[in-house]
Amino acid sequence: MTAPVCLISGVGPGTGSALARRFTEGGYRVALLARNEARLAALEQQLPGAKAYRCDVSDPAQVEAVASAVEHDLGNPAVVIHNAVGGAFGTFREIDPEILNRNFQVNTMGLLYLARRFAPAMITAGKGAIVATGNTSALRGKAGFAGFAPTKAAQRILAEAMARDLGPQGVHVAYLVIDAVIDLEWTRKRWPDRPDDFFIKPKAIADEVWHVAHQDRSAWSFNVEIRPFGEAW
């Protein structure tokens, strides 16, 4: 039996890499998508059956080219995880409008391009999962997140529209709200005095995505929120 395929966008050193490792451990061949070729090449060597593809998901031509290559090399993805993210800090008066647009192209349009490309094969198969990793900005617009929150809110609503469309056709769409600071090298430097329990572990995020992607179809989740036990919300 051929191993299933999982495609992951935004494979960086944190959540993306953890997702790739989790799905490899679960028996998937993983298509690794990101813009950093050196990082991708190193991870590809560590994961049996994985294959790296340089891709900017905000560019529909690149998504199409990579999608065709993935199908040729590995087969149709059974799971697509949109983890690529564009972010920026600043109020609506401070942000560069071009940055807001760029983030929208990565966060929202990237999800659209990937879903439009891979959903048809899932519909034909009568099964599949598309998961987008989001965060608290998808639910609220704080003053300093004007260059980011609108794009994540749009991403969540797009995912919901997709879920309502694809669910009855056998394809599970879910949105994972990560209400926490992810444990990364740069976040540790930004919050050096915070205890370990303040951060959410990339591996824990990956475990939850795995769970959501493999839920029984009689009990599918859409909006899933995860946060450390001590997080005030």
Side-chain angles (χ1 to χ4, degrees):
M1 181 177 178
T2 304
V5 177
C6 174
L7 179 144
I8 304 169
S9 72
V11 178
T15 304
S17 293
L19 286 165
R21 292 190 176 93
R22 180 63 184 89
F23 277 78
T24 297
E25 291 168 0
Y28 281 75
R29 293 168 296 155
V30 180
L32 311 165
L33 275 59
R35 289 179 293 174
N36 189 315
E37 291 183 281
R39 181 184 298 146
L40 285 178
L43 187 60
E44 181 184 46
Q45 295 300 312
Q46 299 171 23
L47 303 178
K51 192 164 180 60
Y53 303 87
R54 186 186 182 282
C55 183
D56 181 345
V57 295
S58 71
D59 182 343
Q62 288 190 39
V63 171
E64 174 58 35
V66 167
S68 296
V70 170
E71 290 168 342
H72 176 270
D73 297 339
L74 301 175
N76 294 321
V79 178
V80 170
I81 304 170
H82 183 42
N83 182 64
V85 61
F89 295 103
T91 67
F92 78 97
R93 288 175 293 183
E94 297 167 342
I95 60 170
D96 181 344
E98 287 300 317
I99 294 298
L100 174 60
N101 183 58
R102 168 62 183 168
N103 293 339
F104 183 81
Q105 297 304 314
V106 173
N107 299 337
T108 306
M109 296 305 293
L111 174 61
L112 179 68
Y113 298 144
L114 291 168
R116 284 168 62 95
R117 185 58 177 77
F118 292 112
M122 294 181 180
I123 293 171
T124 298
K127 60 182 179 180
I130 300 173
V131 182
T133 57
N135 50 46
T136 321
S137 287
L139 305 176
R140 67 187 185 194
K142 297 187 74 173
F145 289 78
F148 180 56
T151 72
K152 297 301 284 186
Q155 181 190 63
R156 183 179 63 82
I157 292 300
L158 173 60
E160 183 175 342
M162 289 165 43
R164 293 173 182 270
D165 182 4
L166 294 175
Q169 301 180 77
V171 180
H172 182 193
V173 180
Y175 195 79
L176 188 74
V177 175
I178 303 168
D179 183 21
V181 176
I182 301 174
D183 194 354
L184 303 168
E185 182 179 355
W186 75 267
T187 58
R188 287 283 184 165
K189 290 179 179 177
R190 183 169 182 176
W191 289 276
D193 300 325
R194 296 287 189 168
D196 290 347
D197 289 342
F198 170 76
F199 301 92
I200 190 168
K201 300 174 184 176
K203 183 181 183 303
I205 297 172
D207 285 340
E208 184 58 22
V209 172
W210 171 272
H211 166 244
V212 170
H214 295 90
Q215 287 176 327
D216 187 272
R217 64 193 304 158
S218 71
W220 278 352
S221 299
F222 169 69
N223 198 72
V224 180
E225 298 184 29
I226 55 175
R227 56 182 61 86
F229 73 95
E231 181 74 16
W233 62 285

